[in-house]
């Protein structure tokens, strides 16, 4: 499997959450907001600011630092 | 008969709208004991039943992540609600059901309000609520809270569940090894005395919940059980695995529940939100658009709140003052009472009341931005800029609120999850030029820079932001190092703001302001008046009065800043009580009038353009008012931080005022 950090993905790419390597609290928070392993997300915006992803029809903005720690597999 | 209903739901699920729709005006706001989280309660009559509705804070989960979550779960477990209404956003059922699974784990009696079904329909999401209800074992009622649809059915279902025995509660499986440990732990925990169900405690221990772990670890009877200690260590060794596995199991359960019951179109329908976001969060246009929106908000606030309604309010206050004075004279009231009423109360409290329209308009506009969903975008576009100075996007929202008044500005920092972010945001908020400082600038601008009014006002705001950024950077490098803060923020879909919600949030803020005007500021103004007329026989507001003496004592401090007069010092001194008092006090000590042209004339005589600038810089930045300091104390839970805020901002203000004056003098300005 090829993991890549979410922050490296281009806009419009769909991927699945594989592993989150942030701190314990942040990791759990992300899990509970729906970023659990296998969750399908779509990169909606990735330019300079936080990365905006679509998750189950909602939009969540993730800081770039955090997006670097979220490993995903491209579909 | 009367019952208690708890309202629970994710942020942005429309929970507050539902609460308002259910309880109407019959509600009150307080605080949960021991924490700063707001406690909202209301009442609604349904048939013969009186329902007390408790609006729990919005939460994604019922863990120990924030005070909000703790408050919510504590109430469900120990507040004995007869039924829990779980508000679910129909456009995002899967994530919202995560919270539902936790409610079921707690054994709560649940009714689901499947809210915003109209929006789900627009996005072509089809939901089989009967299947959901069957699989979850709880009633699922479709609602559109903003249009009051489905409320009748919701209340019927809630009452039915409240009076029925505990509904067949679904058991989740977390996989064999966890289930096994869970059963053992639950059994062992039964020996202890707890305020919570032992099954729930066991689950939370396995999940690594710090709060529950501490409760369990502190229990004496547990310490003595060898079997327990062995199991405890086994669990601790695998905690990361258990934690994530339990979360995953809940999502698996949600997946089973929603299978074929929730269908989305293969290609998501492009919504108006997507179109708007392409512009409002644009790489280059995002910030200019945000700046333009804020510019319009402030222009409207001043045009309507200050120039139009404020003027009207001012003449009303003046009229009431004159009326009271003539009334007191006709009943032959003693002269001191007439003075106290006219110069003390009307001048002081009146000066504050004149700002009520401004604050009403500002909060209405901010409420519109908030309710429409734009505020989250503002935090998003500002995040990069804020990160450069060691802060994050959400901090900027609290700063904007601070432009209106620092008290709600400081309170708005509650949305910041990391302690570091929150402390810094609280400490820099008072640099945001609040509405009460505007009249001070206006007097000095009228005296010296009448041609450059707009630019001068803008410069004051800009200076406040720059100083806040610099101090934020310094704090994040010194006092609050470490603690990386992450930006995680949901961007809710744009919605047409509902009038009720906007009006209510405006009223919550304004009523707080009015309460302060009626209590703190009233007390302060009375005290200032007393200080100004004592000891008996001196000229009121003269240098011999106690107030004058205080001013004389402080004055030397301000000599290097160019305004070392007792009058200026007295003005600043009274401003620590309330910034509104500065102009009123200056008026009394300089001209024997509250404000207006006479004050402007006398200011022109005693200040120079340069000292006017250094005095304005001082008033912009120095010690926050008593109400703000009180809020800082409450929000940080420590008087020390309030004192720190009072002292360091004074230091910053003084240093800058001195720099302005000294450098200005060297450059030949006067």
């Amino acid at each position: 499997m090829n993991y890549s950090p979410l922050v490296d993905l281009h806009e419009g790419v769909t991927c699945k959450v594989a592993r989150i390597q942030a701190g314990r609290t942040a990791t759990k928070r992300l899990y509970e907001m729906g970023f659990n392993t296998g969750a399908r997300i779509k990169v909606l915006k990735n330019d300079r600011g936080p990365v905006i992803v679509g998750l189950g029809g909602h939009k969540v903005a993730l800081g770039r630092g955090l997006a670097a720690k979220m490993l995903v597999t491209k579909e | 008969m009367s019952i208690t209903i708890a309202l629970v739901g994710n942020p942005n699920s429309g929970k507050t709208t539902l609460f308002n729709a259910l309880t109407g005006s019959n509600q009150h706001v307080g605080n949960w004991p021991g924490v700063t989280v707001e406690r909202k309660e209301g009442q609604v009559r349904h048939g013969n039943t009186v329902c007390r509705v408790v609006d729990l804070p919005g939460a994604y989960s019922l863990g120990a992540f924030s005070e909000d979550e703790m408050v919510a779960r504590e109430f469900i477990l120990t507040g004995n609600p007869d039924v829990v209404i779980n508000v679910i956003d129909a456009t995002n059922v899967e994530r919202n059901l995560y919270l539902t699974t936790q409610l079921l784990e707690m054994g709560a009696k649940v009714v689901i309000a499947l809210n915003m079904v109209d929006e789900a329909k627009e996005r072509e999401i089809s939901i089989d609520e009967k299947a959901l209800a069957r699989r979850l074992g709880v009633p699922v009622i479709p609602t559109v809270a903003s249009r009051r649809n489905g409320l009748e059915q919701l209340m019927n279902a809630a009452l039915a569940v409240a009076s029925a025995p505990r509904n067949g509660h679904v058991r989740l499986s977390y996989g064999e090894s966890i289930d096994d440990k869970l059963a053992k732990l639950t059994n062992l925990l039964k020996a202890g005395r707890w305020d919570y169900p032992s099954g729930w405690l066991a689950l939370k221990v396995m999940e690594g919940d710090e709060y529950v772990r501490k409760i369990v670890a502190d229990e004496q009877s547990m310490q003595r059980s060898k079997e327990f200690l062995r199991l405890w260590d086994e669990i601790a060794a695998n905690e990361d695995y258990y934690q994530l596995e339990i979360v995953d199991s809940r999502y698996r359960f949600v997946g089973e529940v929603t299978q074929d019951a929730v269908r989305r179109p293969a290609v998501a329908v492009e919504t108006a939100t997507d179109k708007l976001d392409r512009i409002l969060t644009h790489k280059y246009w995002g910030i200019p658009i945000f700046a333009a929106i804020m510019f319009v908000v402030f222009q409207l606030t001043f045009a309507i709140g200050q120039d139009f309604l404020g003027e009207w309010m001012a003449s009303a206050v003046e009229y009431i003052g004159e009326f009271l004075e003539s009334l007191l004279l006709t009943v032959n009231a003693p002269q001191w009472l007439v003075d106290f009423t006219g110069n003390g109360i009307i001048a002081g409290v009146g000066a504050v009341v004149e700002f009520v329209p401004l604050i009403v308009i500002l909060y209405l506009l901010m409420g519109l931005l908030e309710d429409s969903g734009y505020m989250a975008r503002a935090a998003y576009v500002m995040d990069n800029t804020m990160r450069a100075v060691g802060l994050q996007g959400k901090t900027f929202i609290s700063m904007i609120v601070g432009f209106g008044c620092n008290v709600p500005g400081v309170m708005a920092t509650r949305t910041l999850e990391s302690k570091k972010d929150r402390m810094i945001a609280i400490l820099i908020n008072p640099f945001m030029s609040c509405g009460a400082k505007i009249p001070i600038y206006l007097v000095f601008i009228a005296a010296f820079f009448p041609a450059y009014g707009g630019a001068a006002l803008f410069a004051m705001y800009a200076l406040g932001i720059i100083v806040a950024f610099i101090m934020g950077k310094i704090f994040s490098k010194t006092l609050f190092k470490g603690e990386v803060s992450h930006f995680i923020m949901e961007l809710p879909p744009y919605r047409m703001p509902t009038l009720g919600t906007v009006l209510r949030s405006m009223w919550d803020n304004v009523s707080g302001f009015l309460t302060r005007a009626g209590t703190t500021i009233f007390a302060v103004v009375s005290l200032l008046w007393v200080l100004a007329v004592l000891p008996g026989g001196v000229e009121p507001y003269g240098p011999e009065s106690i107030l004058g003496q205080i001013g004389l004592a402080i004055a030397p401090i301000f000599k290097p800043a160019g305004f070392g007069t007792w009058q200026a010092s007295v003005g600043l001194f009274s401003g620590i009580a309330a910034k509104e008092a500065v102009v009123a006090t200056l008026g009394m000590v300089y001209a024997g009038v509250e404000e207006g042209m006479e004050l402007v004339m006398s200011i022109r005589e005693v200040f120079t353009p340069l000292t006017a600038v250094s005095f304005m810089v001082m008033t912009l930045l120095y010690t926050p008012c008593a109400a703000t300091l009180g809020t800082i104390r409450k929000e940080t839970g420590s008087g020390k931080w309030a004192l720190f805020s009072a002292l360091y901002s004074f230091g910053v203000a003084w240093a800058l005022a001195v720099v302005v004056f000294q450098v200005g003098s060297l450059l030949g300005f006067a």
Side-chain angles (χ1 to χ4, degrees):
Chain A
M1 272 296 200
N2 271 334
Y3 293 160
S4 43
L6 176 67
V7 74
D8 289 349
L9 266 51
H10 292 290
E11 283 169 23
V13 174
T14 310
C15 56
K16 278 187 174 167
V17 178
R19 206 162 65 219
I20 301 170
Q21 296 177 318
R24 202 168 150 182
T25 324
T27 304
K28 184 145 193 229
R29 163 94 325 188
L30 287 171
Y31 255 68
E32 294 184 330
M33 283 184 80
F35 293 93
N36 54 318
T37 313
R40 281 189 70 191
I41 54 181
K42 184 174 181 191
V43 182
L44 298 176
K45 195 165 183 63
N46 185 5
D47 39 48
R48 304 186 305 167
V51 179
I52 300 182
V53 299
L55 170 75
H58 265 215
K59 295 181 170 189
V60 182
L62 300 174
R64 299 193 75 78
L66 203 54
K69 289 174 179 158
M70 185 182 284
L71 301 183
V72 297
T73 50
K74 278 186 233 178
E75 285 209 328
Chain B
M1 204 181 99
S2 79
I3 63 161
T4 302
I5 300 175
L7 273 187
V8 210
N10 281 191
N12 306 312
S13 60
K15 188 171 61 69
T16 304
T17 312
L18 181 68
F19 176 70
N20 289 338
L22 282 177
T23 59
S25 57
N26 206 344
Q27 50 174 267
H28 56 268
V29 183
N31 265 6
W32 293 93
V35 292
T36 51
V37 177
E38 232 174 47
R39 179 190 177 116
K40 277 197 197 162
E41 266 192 53
Q43 255 191 16
V44 55
R45 236 195 133 74
H46 191 75
N48 295 325
T49 315
V50 179
C51 309
R52 167 179 168 243
V53 185
V54 181
D55 185 24
L56 297 175
Y60 291 111
S61 161
L62 295 170
F65 182 73
S66 63
E67 279 186 346
D68 284 0
E69 291 186 0
M70 297 279 280
V71 161
R73 76 180 194 189
E74 191 68 23
F75 185 80
I76 293 165
L77 287 166
T78 62
N80 295 320
D82 295 280
V83 56
V84 175
I85 294 182
N86 178 199
V87 188
I88 280 185
D89 174 357
T91 64
N92 198 0
V93 176
E94 291 87 349
R95 200 205 49 218
N96 281 252
L97 280 179
Y98 182 83
L99 184 74
T100 313
T101 61
Q102 291 185 306
L103 289 171
L104 296 176
E105 287 169 346
M106 290 170 140
K109 291 190 190 177
V110 180
V111 171
I112 289 175
L114 187 66
N115 198 25
M116 307 196 276
V117 281
D118 54 339
E119 276 184 37
K121 203 164 180 187
E122 256 168 52
R123 296 206 212 168
E124 296 171 25
I125 302 170
S126 78
I127 303 170
D128 179 355
E129 67 260 9
K130 289 199 184 71
L132 289 182
R134 201 170 54 241
R135 293 173 192 171
L136 288 165
V138 304
V140 177
I141 316 293
T143 58
V144 183
S146 57
R147 286 193 222 137
R148 312 186 57 88
N149 287 352
L151 299 192
E152 185 73 21
Q153 294 88 323
L154 181 65
M155 286 306 289
N156 286 339
L159 291 193
V161 169
S163 56
R166 223 153 263 283
N167 42 24
H169 109 233
V170 184
R171 281 207 85 82
L172 270 73
S173 166
Y174 308 96
E176 213 171 304
S177 99
I178 294 181
D179 285 349
D180 180 49
K181 289 219 167 40
L182 210 48
K184 274 191 202 150
L185 186 59
T186 308
N187 244 334
L188 287 169
L189 286 175
K190 280 190 180 138
R193 296 170 57 87
W194 319 99
D195 297 332
Y196 309 99
S198 43
W200 182 77
L201 286 177
L203 182 62
K204 287 288 142 181
V205 167
M206 304 259 318
E207 228 185 306
D209 185 299
E210 308 285 343
Y211 177 79
V212 168
R213 282 202 162 180
K214 196 169 164 357
I215 295 182
V216 173
D218 286 351
E219 168 77 18
Q220 296 295 324
S221 56
M222 290 294 116
Q223 301 286 347
R224 286 194 293 271
S225 157
K226 278 217 178 72
E227 210 181 336
F228 170 80
L229 292 173
R230 201 177 326 122
L231 187 59
W232 181 265
D233 290 342
E234 258 175 64
I235 293 170
N238 283 313
E239 58 183 13
D240 285 350
Y241 167 75
Y242 291 147
Q243 177 183 321
L244 297 183
E245 193 54 33
I246 289 173
V247 178
D248 266 345
S249 305
R250 292 193 185 118
Y251 276 114
R252 264 199 304 276
F253 173 74
V254 169
E256 286 158 21
V257 168
T258 52
Q259 174 111 56
D260 302 326
V262 178
R263 291 168 193 272
R264 296 169 183 284
V267 181
V269 181
E270 177 164 73
T271 57
T273 293
D274 297 327
K275 287 177 197 144
L276 270 172
D277 263 346
R278 236 181 286 140
I279 307 163
L280 295 178
T281 63
H282 189 272
K283 183 155 53 157
Y284 303 117
W285 295 111
I287 291 181
I289 290 173
F290 173 49
I293 289 177
M294 289 327 293
F295 182 76
V296 171
V297 164
F298 281 108
Q299 285 293 322
L300 280 177
T301 302
F302 291 128
I304 307 172
Q306 174 92 354
D307 299 344
F308 179 59
L309 292 174
E311 296 281 313
W312 184 83
M313 200 75 162
S315 21
V317 168
E318 200 175 321
Y319 177 79
I320 293 170
E322 280 163 14
F323 172 77
L324 274 180
E325 201 169 324
S326 61
L327 187 77
L328 287 170
L329 287 173
T330 41
V331 299
N332 275 325
Q335 185 58 38
W336 69 264
L337 186 61
V338 179
D339 279 350
F340 175 66
T341 313
N343 296 335
I345 304 306
I346 296 295
V349 176
V352 179
V353 171
E354 283 164 27
F355 290 104
V356 170
L358 189 140
I359 288 174
V360 166
I361 302 292
L362 183 61
Y363 279 122
L364 273 180
L365 296 172
M366 296 296 246
L368 283 177
L369 287 184
E370 173 76 50
D371 206 37
S372 69
Y374 180 72
M375 276 304 188
R377 274 72 181 183
Y380 168 84
V381 298
M382 284 306 293
D383 189 61
N384 253 15
T385 313
M386 299 293 284
R387 240 161 239 287
V389 291
L391 304 170
Q392 65 140 294
K394 287 189 211 172
T395 305
F396 203 73
I397 297 181
S398 67
M399 290 167 69
I400 295 169
V401 178
F403 280 142
C405 174
N406 298 140
V407 170
V410 168
M411 291 197 285
T413 62
R414 287 174 186 172
T415 52
L416 292 163
E417 284 123 8
S418 112
K419 170 116 177 148
K420 167 185 166 164
D421 288 347
R422 181 141 191 244
M423 289 302 301
I424 297 178
I426 287 175
L427 290 176
I428 64 175
N429 198 277
F431 292 134
M432 298 296 102
S433 186
C434 74
K437 289 177 189 165
I438 295 165
I440 312 173
Y441 309 144
L442 293 185
V443 167
F444 282 85
I445 288 171
F448 294 104
F449 320 104
Y452 308 100
L457 205 55
F458 179 80
M460 294 310 287
Y461 278 92
L463 179 65
I465 296 178
I466 292 167
V467 171
F469 279 176
I470 294 173
M471 288 317 295
K473 182 86 187 167
I474 293 175
F475 284 143
S476 70
K477 289 262 180 228
T478 56
L479 277 181
F480 309 100
K481 278 189 278 207
E483 285 189 65
V484 192
S485 72
H486 291 300
F487 184 81
I488 309 177
M489 191 158 180
E490 192 175 338
L491 304 178
Y494 293 104
R495 297 199 170 102
M496 194 47 96
T498 49
L499 190 64
T501 311
V502 173
L503 284 178
R504 186 165 300 281
S505 82
M506 183 274 287
W507 176 244
D508 284 348
N509 285 307
V510 172
S511 62
F513 183 81
L514 285 174
T515 316
R516 277 200 308 285
T519 54
T520 322
I521 299 174
F522 179 83
V524 162
V525 160
S526 308
L527 181 71
L528 279 177
W529 182 81
V530 171
L531 292 177
V533 297
L534 287 180
V538 301
E539 189 200 339
Y541 292 95
E544 283 88 40
S545 67
I546 297 179
L547 195 63
Q549 292 296 315
I550 293 174
L552 278 171
I554 310 174
I557 302 175
F558 299 117
K559 206 144 197 94
F563 46 85
T565 63
W566 69 269
Q567 293 98 327
S569 307
V570 163
L572 290 173
F573 175 72
S574 61
I576 295 178
K579 299 294 175 221
E580 292 89 344
V582 174
V583 166
T585 312
L586 286 180
M588 293 315 297
V589 295
Y590 276 126
V593 293
E594 289 151 31
E595 49 206 319
M597 246 0 247
E598 273 178 75
L599 173 59
V600 172
M601 297 301 284
S602 33
I603 292 280
R604 201 176 288 162
E605 277 163 31
V606 288
F607 282 83
T608 67
L610 183 60
T611 55
V613 172
S614 77
F615 188 80
M616 282 161 73
V617 168
M618 186 75 199
T619 48
L620 165 69
L621 304 171
Y622 85 120
T623 307
C625 70
T628 304
L629 288 174
T631 312
I632 293 177
R633 192 178 72 99
K634 203 175 125 208
E635 298 291 316
T636 58
S638 136
K640 271 186 235 153
W641 283 116
L643 186 67
F644 175 76
S645 166
L647 295 178
Y648 103 87
S649 47
F650 187 90
V652 169
W654 182 84
L656 266 175
V658 169
V659 167
V660 166
F661 180 68
Q662 297 296 343
V663 173
S665 301
L666 280 179
L667 295 178
F669 290 103

